[in-house]
């Protein structure tokens, strides 16, 4: 099935934070536009992030101390806020990943047991 024909996926509440933390841990500091483009590319465009979705997540993560933003110049010579994961964010990423895997395993088990 081509990516143009794949149905869109809605992210469950809380998963965007986990995805953003993982992306920043893997890619290093990114500005919001680059982060959005990369996440959509990796997801094979199965979901679309917009400013109304991503920016509140970035603010939330920054308020928790899991990411830190700093102003830098982009490759296009524009000022943008780059976000990087903090040590607390790396610990949170590990904890949230474990929690997500347990939850996904439970849901998978329950779905398989229903057959």
């Amino acid at each position: 099935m081509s990516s143009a024909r794949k149905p869109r996926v809605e992210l469950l509440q809380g998963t965007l934070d986990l995805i953003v933390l993982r992306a920043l841990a893997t890619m290093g500091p990114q500005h919001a536009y680059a982060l959005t483009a990369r996440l959509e590319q990796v997801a094979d465009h199965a979901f679309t992030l917009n400013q109304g979705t991503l920016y509140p997540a970035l603010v939330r993560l920054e308020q928790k101390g899991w990411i830190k933003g700093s102003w830098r110049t982009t490759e296009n010579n524009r000022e943008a806020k780059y976000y990087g994961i903090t040590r607390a964010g790396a610990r949170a990423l590990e904890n949230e990943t474990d929690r997500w895997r347990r939850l996904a395993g439970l849901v998978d088990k329950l779905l398989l047991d229903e057959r």
Side-chain angles (χ1 to χ4, degrees):
M1 183 181 245
S2 74
S3 63
R5 300 175 76 198
K6 287 184 182 176
R8 291 281 193 207
V9 174
E10 287 189 35
L11 295 177
L12 296 174
Q13 186 171 356
T15 56
L16 181 57
D17 292 0
L18 178 60
I19 290 167
V20 168
L21 287 174
R22 177 68 176 137
L24 294 175
T26 303
M27 299 167 40
Q30 298 291 312
H31 56 81
Y33 181 79
L35 185 60
T36 298
R38 182 66 180 145
L39 291 176
E40 288 179 1
Q41 178 187 23
V42 169
D44 198 18
H45 304 281
F47 67 86
T48 301
L49 289 176
N50 59 42
Q51 289 180 3
T53 303
L54 183 60
Y55 283 104
L58 292 171
V59 168
R60 186 172 50 250
L61 291 170
E62 196 167 23
Q63 287 174 343
K64 289 180 177 181
W66 293 356
I67 64 173
K68 183 166 177 48
S70 61
W71 290 96
R72 300 184 190 173
T73 303
T74 67
E75 57 279 354
N76 296 330
N77 208 27
R78 292 191 169 153
E79 288 293 311
K81 194 169 188 181
Y82 279 72
Y83 297 91
I85 192 167
T86 63
R87 285 187 185 147
R91 286 189 301 274
L93 173 58
E94 188 175 318
N95 293 336
E96 292 299 308
T97 299
D98 289 344
R99 188 176 73 74
W100 174 256
R101 287 188 173 135
R102 286 193 313 273
L103 176 61
L106 173 62
V107 170
D108 194 42
K109 181 181 183 331
L110 292 170
L111 290 175
L112 290 175
D113 286 348
E114 288 294 314
R115 290 184 188 167

Short mmCIF file of all heavy atoms in Angstrom, two decimals, residues 20-70:
data_model
loop_
_atom_site.label_atom_id
_atom_site.label_comp_id
_atom_site.label_asym_id
_atom_site.label_seq_id
_atom_site.Cartn_x
_atom_site.Cartn_y
_atom_site.Cartn_z
N VAL A 20 8.54 12.73 21.04
CA VAL A 20 9.41 13.91 20.97
C VAL A 20 10.69 13.67 21.76
O VAL A 20 11.79 13.96 21.28
CB VAL A 20 8.68 15.17 21.47
CG1 VAL A 20 9.64 16.33 21.67
CG2 VAL A 20 7.58 15.57 20.48
N LEU A 21 10.58 13.11 22.96
CA LEU A 21 11.77 12.82 23.76
C LEU A 21 12.70 11.86 23.03
O LEU A 21 13.91 12.06 22.98
CB LEU A 21 11.38 12.22 25.12
CG LEU A 21 10.76 13.17 26.13
CD1 LEU A 21 10.30 12.40 27.36
CD2 LEU A 21 11.74 14.28 26.52
N ARG A 22 12.14 10.83 22.44
CA ARG A 22 12.95 9.85 21.70
C ARG A 22 13.65 10.51 20.51
O ARG A 22 14.83 10.26 20.25
CB ARG A 22 12.08 8.69 21.24
CG ARG A 22 12.80 7.67 20.41
CD ARG A 22 13.80 6.91 21.25
NE ARG A 22 14.40 5.88 20.43
CZ ARG A 22 15.69 5.59 20.42
NH1 ARG A 22 16.52 6.21 21.22
NH2 ARG A 22 16.16 4.66 19.64
N ALA A 23 12.92 11.34 19.79
CA ALA A 23 13.50 12.00 18.62
C ALA A 23 14.65 12.91 19.03
O ALA A 23 15.71 12.90 18.40
CB ALA A 23 12.43 12.80 17.88
N LEU A 24 14.47 13.68 20.09
CA LEU A 24 15.53 14.58 20.54
C LEU A 24 16.73 13.80 21.08
O LEU A 24 17.87 14.22 20.89
CB LEU A 24 15.00 15.56 21.58
CG LEU A 24 13.96 16.56 21.06
CD1 LEU A 24 13.42 17.41 22.20
CD2 LEU A 24 14.55 17.44 19.96
N ALA A 25 16.47 12.68 21.74
CA ALA A 25 17.57 11.85 22.24
C ALA A 25 18.37 11.27 21.08
O ALA A 25 19.60 11.14 21.16
CB ALA A 25 17.03 10.73 23.12
N THR A 26 17.69 10.95 20.00
CA THR A 26 18.34 10.34 18.84
C THR A 26 18.99 11.36 17.92
O THR A 26 20.12 11.18 17.47
CB THR A 26 17.29 9.54 18.02
OG1 THR A 26 16.69 8.58 18.87
CG2 THR A 26 17.93 8.85 16.83
N MET A 27 18.30 12.46 17.65
CA MET A 27 18.72 13.42 16.65
C MET A 27 19.51 14.59 17.21
O MET A 27 20.11 15.34 16.46
CB MET A 27 17.50 13.98 15.91
CG MET A 27 16.70 12.93 15.18
SD MET A 27 15.06 13.48 14.63
CE MET A 27 15.32 15.13 14.07
N GLY A 28 19.46 14.79 18.52
CA GLY A 28 20.08 15.97 19.10
C GLY A 28 19.13 17.14 19.00
O GLY A 28 17.99 17.01 18.54
N PRO A 29 19.57 18.32 19.44
CA PRO A 29 18.69 19.49 19.46
C PRO A 29 18.10 19.80 18.07
O PRO A 29 18.81 19.73 17.06
CB PRO A 29 19.60 20.62 19.93
CG PRO A 29 20.66 19.92 20.71
CD PRO A 29 20.88 18.62 20.00
N GLN A 30 16.81 20.12 18.07
CA GLN A 30 16.09 20.41 16.84
C GLN A 30 15.14 21.58 17.08
O GLN A 30 14.64 21.76 18.18
CB GLN A 30 15.25 19.20 16.40
CG GLN A 30 16.03 17.96 16.10
CD GLN A 30 16.85 18.10 14.84
OE1 GLN A 30 16.35 18.55 13.81
NE2 GLN A 30 18.10 17.73 14.91
N HIS A 31 14.86 22.34 16.01
CA HIS A 31 13.80 23.33 16.12
C HIS A 31 12.50 22.66 15.70
O HIS A 31 12.50 21.57 15.12
CB HIS A 31 14.10 24.59 15.30
CG HIS A 31 14.38 24.38 13.86
ND1 HIS A 31 13.39 24.20 12.93
CD2 HIS A 31 15.56 24.31 13.17
CE1 HIS A 31 13.92 24.04 11.72
NE2 HIS A 31 15.24 24.10 11.85
N ALA A 32 11.38 23.26 16.06
CA ALA A 32 10.08 22.62 15.92
C ALA A 32 9.78 22.19 14.48
O ALA A 32 9.27 21.09 14.26
CB ALA A 32 8.98 23.54 16.43
N TYR A 33 10.11 23.03 13.51
CA TYR A 33 9.80 22.69 12.12
C TYR A 33 10.60 21.45 11.67
O TYR A 33 10.04 20.53 11.06
CB TYR A 33 10.09 23.87 11.19
CG TYR A 33 9.78 23.56 9.75
CD1 TYR A 33 8.47 23.58 9.29
CD2 TYR A 33 10.79 23.20 8.86
CE1 TYR A 33 8.17 23.28 7.97
CE2 TYR A 33 10.50 22.89 7.54
CZ TYR A 33 9.18 22.94 7.11
OH TYR A 33 8.90 22.62 5.80
N ALA A 34 11.88 21.41 11.99
CA ALA A 34 12.71 20.25 11.62
C ALA A 34 12.24 18.99 12.34
O ALA A 34 12.21 17.90 11.76
CB ALA A 34 14.17 20.53 11.93
N LEU A 35 11.86 19.15 13.59
CA LEU A 35 11.37 18.02 14.37
C LEU A 35 10.08 17.48 13.75
O LEU A 35 9.94 16.26 13.57
CB LEU A 35 11.13 18.47 15.81
CG LEU A 35 10.72 17.42 16.81
CD1 LEU A 35 11.75 16.32 16.94
CD2 LEU A 35 10.49 18.07 18.17
N THR A 36 9.17 18.35 13.41
CA THR A 36 7.92 17.94 12.77
C THR A 36 8.18 17.20 11.46
O THR A 36 7.63 16.13 11.23
CB THR A 36 7.02 19.17 12.49
OG1 THR A 36 6.70 19.78 13.73
CG2 THR A 36 5.76 18.79 11.76
N ALA A 37 9.02 17.77 10.62
CA ALA A 37 9.32 17.17 9.31
C ALA A 37 9.93 15.78 9.49
O ALA A 37 9.56 14.83 8.79
CB ALA A 37 10.24 18.07 8.51
N ARG A 38 10.85 15.65 10.43
CA ARG A 38 11.52 14.36 10.64
C ARG A 38 10.55 13.31 11.19
O ARG A 38 10.55 12.16 10.74
CB ARG A 38 12.71 14.53 11.57
CG ARG A 38 13.48 13.26 11.79
CD ARG A 38 14.14 12.77 10.51
NE ARG A 38 14.85 11.54 10.78
CZ ARG A 38 14.97 10.53 9.93
NH1 ARG A 38 14.45 10.63 8.72
NH2 ARG A 38 15.61 9.45 10.25
N LEU A 39 9.72 13.69 12.15
CA LEU A 39 8.77 12.73 12.71
C LEU A 39 7.77 12.27 11.65
O LEU A 39 7.45 11.08 11.58
CB LEU A 39 8.04 13.35 13.90
CG LEU A 39 8.89 13.57 15.15
CD1 LEU A 39 8.08 14.28 16.22
CD2 LEU A 39 9.48 12.28 15.67
N GLU A 40 7.28 13.18 10.83
CA GLU A 40 6.35 12.79 9.77
C GLU A 40 7.03 11.88 8.76
O GLU A 40 6.44 10.92 8.28
CB GLU A 40 5.77 14.03 9.10
CG GLU A 40 4.78 14.76 9.97
CD GLU A 40 4.20 16.00 9.32
OE1 GLU A 40 4.54 16.32 8.17
OE2 GLU A 40 3.38 16.67 9.99
N GLN A 41 8.31 12.15 8.46
CA GLN A 41 9.05 11.32 7.52
C GLN A 41 9.25 9.91 8.08
O GLN A 41 8.99 8.92 7.39
CB GLN A 41 10.41 11.96 7.21
CG GLN A 41 11.26 11.13 6.27
CD GLN A 41 12.66 11.71 6.13
OE1 GLN A 41 13.14 12.43 7.00
NE2 GLN A 41 13.31 11.38 5.03
N VAL A 42 9.68 9.82 9.32
CA VAL A 42 9.92 8.51 9.94
C VAL A 42 8.62 7.72 10.04
O VAL A 42 8.60 6.51 9.84
CB VAL A 42 10.56 8.67 11.34
CG1 VAL A 42 10.57 7.37 12.11
CG2 VAL A 42 11.99 9.20 11.20
N ALA A 43 7.51 8.40 10.31
CA ALA A 43 6.21 7.75 10.42
C ALA A 43 5.59 7.46 9.06
O ALA A 43 4.46 6.99 8.99
CB ALA A 43 5.26 8.61 11.25
N ASP A 44 6.33 7.74 8.00
CA ASP A 44 5.85 7.54 6.63
C ASP A 44 4.55 8.32 6.40
O ASP A 44 3.62 7.84 5.77
CB ASP A 44 5.64 6.05 6.35
CG ASP A 44 5.56 5.75 4.85
OD1 ASP A 44 6.00 6.59 4.04
OD2 ASP A 44 5.05 4.67 4.51
N HIS A 45 4.51 9.52 7.01
CA HIS A 45 3.40 10.46 6.85
C HIS A 45 2.06 9.88 7.30
O HIS A 45 1.00 10.26 6.79
CB HIS A 45 3.33 10.98 5.41
CG HIS A 45 4.62 11.60 4.98
ND1 HIS A 45 4.98 12.87 5.36
CD2 HIS A 45 5.67 11.10 4.28
CE1 HIS A 45 6.18 13.14 4.87
NE2 HIS A 45 6.63 12.10 4.23
N ALA A 46 2.10 8.95 8.27
CA ALA A 46 0.87 8.35 8.79
C ALA A 46 0.15 9.29 9.75
O ALA A 46 -1.01 9.07 10.08
CB ALA A 46 1.18 7.03 9.49
N PHE A 47 0.83 10.31 10.22
CA PHE A 47 0.18 11.33 11.03
C PHE A 47 0.77 12.68 10.69
O PHE A 47 1.86 12.78 10.16
CB PHE A 47 0.28 11.05 12.54
CG PHE A 47 1.66 11.14 13.11
CD1 PHE A 47 2.18 12.35 13.53
CD2 PHE A 47 2.44 10.01 13.24
CE1 PHE A 47 3.46 12.43 14.07
CE2 PHE A 47 3.72 10.08 13.77
CZ PHE A 47 4.23 11.29 14.19
N THR A 48 0.01 13.72 10.99
CA THR A 48 0.45 15.08 10.72
C THR A 48 0.51 15.84 12.03
O THR A 48 -0.44 15.82 12.81
CB THR A 48 -0.55 15.79 9.77
OG1 THR A 48 -0.63 15.05 8.56
CG2 THR A 48 -0.08 17.20 9.46
N LEU A 49 1.64 16.46 12.28
CA LEU A 49 1.77 17.33 13.45
C LEU A 49 1.58 18.76 12.99
O LEU A 49 2.15 19.17 11.98
CB LEU A 49 3.17 17.18 14.05
CG LEU A 49 3.46 15.87 14.75
CD1 LEU A 49 4.91 15.85 15.21
CD2 LEU A 49 2.55 15.69 15.94
N ASN A 50 0.81 19.51 13.74
CA ASN A 50 0.66 20.92 13.44
C ASN A 50 1.10 21.72 14.66
O ASN A 50 1.37 21.15 15.72
CB ASN A 50 -0.76 21.25 13.00
CG ASN A 50 -1.78 20.89 14.06
OD1 ASN A 50 -1.57 21.14 15.24
ND2 ASN A 50 -2.89 20.30 13.65
N GLN A 51 1.16 23.02 14.50
CA GLN A 51 1.63 23.87 15.60
C GLN A 51 0.75 23.72 16.84
O GLN A 51 1.24 23.75 17.96
CB GLN A 51 1.65 25.34 15.16
CG GLN A 51 2.73 25.64 14.17
CD GLN A 51 2.71 27.11 13.77
OE1 GLN A 51 1.93 27.90 14.26
NE2 GLN A 51 3.59 27.47 12.83
N GLY A 52 -0.54 23.52 16.64
CA GLY A 52 -1.45 23.37 17.76
C GLY A 52 -1.26 22.08 18.53
O GLY A 52 -1.75 21.93 19.64
N THR A 53 -0.55 21.14 17.93
CA THR A 53 -0.26 19.87 18.59
C THR A 53 1.15 19.85 19.16
O THR A 53 1.37 19.50 20.32
CB THR A 53 -0.40 18.71 17.58
OG1 THR A 53 -1.71 18.73 17.01
CG2 THR A 53 -0.15 17.37 18.23
N LEU A 54 2.13 20.24 18.35
CA LEU A 54 3.52 20.12 18.76
C LEU A 54 3.93 21.17 19.80
O LEU A 54 4.57 20.83 20.80
CB LEU A 54 4.45 20.21 17.55
CG LEU A 54 5.94 20.03 17.89
CD1 LEU A 54 6.19 18.67 18.53
CD2 LEU A 54 6.79 20.20 16.65
N TYR A 55 3.57 22.42 19.60
CA TYR A 55 4.03 23.47 20.51
C TYR A 55 3.56 23.27 21.96
O TYR A 55 4.35 23.43 22.88
CB TYR A 55 3.69 24.86 19.99
CG TYR A 55 4.64 25.28 18.89
CD1 TYR A 55 4.26 25.26 17.55
CD2 TYR A 55 5.95 25.66 19.18
CE1 TYR A 55 5.13 25.61 16.54
CE2 TYR A 55 6.83 26.03 18.17
CZ TYR A 55 6.41 25.99 16.86
OH TYR A 55 7.29 26.34 15.86
N PRO A 56 2.30 22.89 22.18
CA PRO A 56 1.92 22.61 23.58
C PRO A 56 2.73 21.46 24.19
O PRO A 56 3.07 21.50 25.37
CB PRO A 56 0.44 22.23 23.47
CG PRO A 56 -0.03 22.92 22.24
CD PRO A 56 1.14 22.86 21.29
N ALA A 57 3.07 20.47 23.38
CA ALA A 57 3.90 19.37 23.88
C ALA A 57 5.29 19.87 24.24
O ALA A 57 5.84 19.50 25.29
CB ALA A 57 3.99 18.25 22.84
N LEU A 58 5.87 20.73 23.41
CA LEU A 58 7.19 21.27 23.70
C LEU A 58 7.16 22.12 24.97
O LEU A 58 8.06 22.03 25.82
CB LEU A 58 7.71 22.09 22.51
CG LEU A 58 8.02 21.28 21.25
CD1 LEU A 58 8.31 22.21 20.08
CD2 LEU A 58 9.18 20.32 21.48
N VAL A 59 6.12 22.92 25.13
CA VAL A 59 5.99 23.75 26.34
C VAL A 59 5.84 22.85 27.56
O VAL A 59 6.49 23.06 28.59
CB VAL A 59 4.79 24.72 26.21
CG1 VAL A 59 4.46 25.37 27.55
CG2 VAL A 59 5.07 25.77 25.15
N ARG A 60 5.01 21.83 27.45
CA ARG A 60 4.78 20.90 28.56
C ARG A 60 6.08 20.20 28.97
O ARG A 60 6.42 20.11 30.15
CB ARG A 60 3.71 19.88 28.13
CG ARG A 60 3.24 18.93 29.18
CD ARG A 60 2.06 18.08 28.70
NE ARG A 60 2.24 17.43 27.42
CZ ARG A 60 1.60 17.77 26.31
NH1 ARG A 60 0.73 18.76 26.29
NH2 ARG A 60 1.81 17.11 25.18
N LEU A 61 6.83 19.73 27.98
CA LEU A 61 8.09 19.03 28.26
C LEU A 61 9.12 19.98 28.86
O LEU A 61 9.89 19.59 29.74
CB LEU A 61 8.63 18.39 26.98
CG LEU A 61 7.81 17.21 26.45
CD1 LEU A 61 8.29 16.82 25.06
CD2 LEU A 61 7.88 16.04 27.40
N GLU A 62 9.12 21.22 28.39
CA GLU A 62 10.06 22.21 28.93
C GLU A 62 9.69 22.55 30.38
O GLU A 62 10.56 22.68 31.24
CB GLU A 62 10.08 23.46 28.05
CG GLU A 62 11.27 24.35 28.29
CD GLU A 62 11.46 25.41 27.22
OE1 GLU A 62 10.49 25.78 26.52
OE2 GLU A 62 12.60 25.88 27.09
N GLN A 63 8.40 22.66 30.67
CA GLN A 63 7.95 22.95 32.03
C GLN A 63 8.30 21.82 32.99
O GLN A 63 8.58 22.06 34.16
CB GLN A 63 6.45 23.23 32.05
CG GLN A 63 6.08 24.56 31.45
CD GLN A 63 4.58 24.77 31.33
OE1 GLN A 63 3.78 23.83 31.41
NE2 GLN A 63 4.18 26.02 31.13
N LYS A 64 8.30 20.60 32.50
CA LYS A 64 8.67 19.44 33.33
C LYS A 64 10.18 19.35 33.52
O LYS A 64 10.65 18.56 34.33
CB LYS A 64 8.18 18.14 32.68
CG LYS A 64 6.69 17.95 32.73
CD LYS A 64 6.32 16.63 32.06
CE LYS A 64 4.84 16.35 32.14
NZ LYS A 64 4.48 15.06 31.52
N GLY A 65 10.94 20.12 32.74
CA GLY A 65 12.39 20.06 32.82
C GLY A 65 12.99 18.93 32.02
O GLY A 65 14.16 18.60 32.17
N TRP A 66 12.19 18.34 31.13
CA TRP A 66 12.65 17.20 30.33
C TRP A 66 13.35 17.64 29.05
O TRP A 66 14.11 16.87 28.47
CB TRP A 66 11.50 16.27 30.01
CG TRP A 66 10.95 15.57 31.23
CD1 TRP A 66 11.43 15.64 32.52
CD2 TRP A 66 9.82 14.71 31.28
NE1 TRP A 66 10.67 14.88 33.35
CE2 TRP A 66 9.67 14.29 32.62
CE3 TRP A 66 8.92 14.24 30.34
CZ2 TRP A 66 8.65 13.41 33.03
CZ3 TRP A 66 7.91 13.39 30.75
CH2 TRP A 66 7.78 12.98 32.06
N ILE A 67 13.06 18.85 28.59
CA ILE A 67 13.77 19.43 27.47
C ILE A 67 14.13 20.87 27.83
O ILE A 67 13.53 21.45 28.74
CB ILE A 67 12.97 19.40 26.14
CG1 ILE A 67 11.70 20.26 26.23
CG2 ILE A 67 12.65 17.97 25.73
CD1 ILE A 67 10.96 20.40 24.90
N LYS A 68 15.08 21.43 27.11
CA LYS A 68 15.48 22.83 27.33
C LYS A 68 15.60 23.48 25.97
O LYS A 68 16.21 22.92 25.05
CB LYS A 68 16.79 22.90 28.08
CG LYS A 68 17.23 24.32 28.40
CD LYS A 68 18.34 24.33 29.42
CE LYS A 68 18.87 25.69 29.71
NZ LYS A 68 17.89 26.72 29.97
N GLY A 69 15.01 24.66 25.85
CA GLY A 69 15.07 25.39 24.58
C GLY A 69 16.09 26.50 24.63
O GLY A 69 16.32 27.11 25.68
N SER A 70 16.73 26.74 23.49
CA SER A 70 17.66 27.86 23.37
C SER A 70 17.58 28.40 21.94
O SER A 70 17.38 27.64 21.00
CB SER A 70 19.09 27.44 23.70
OG SER A 70 19.54 26.43 22.82
#
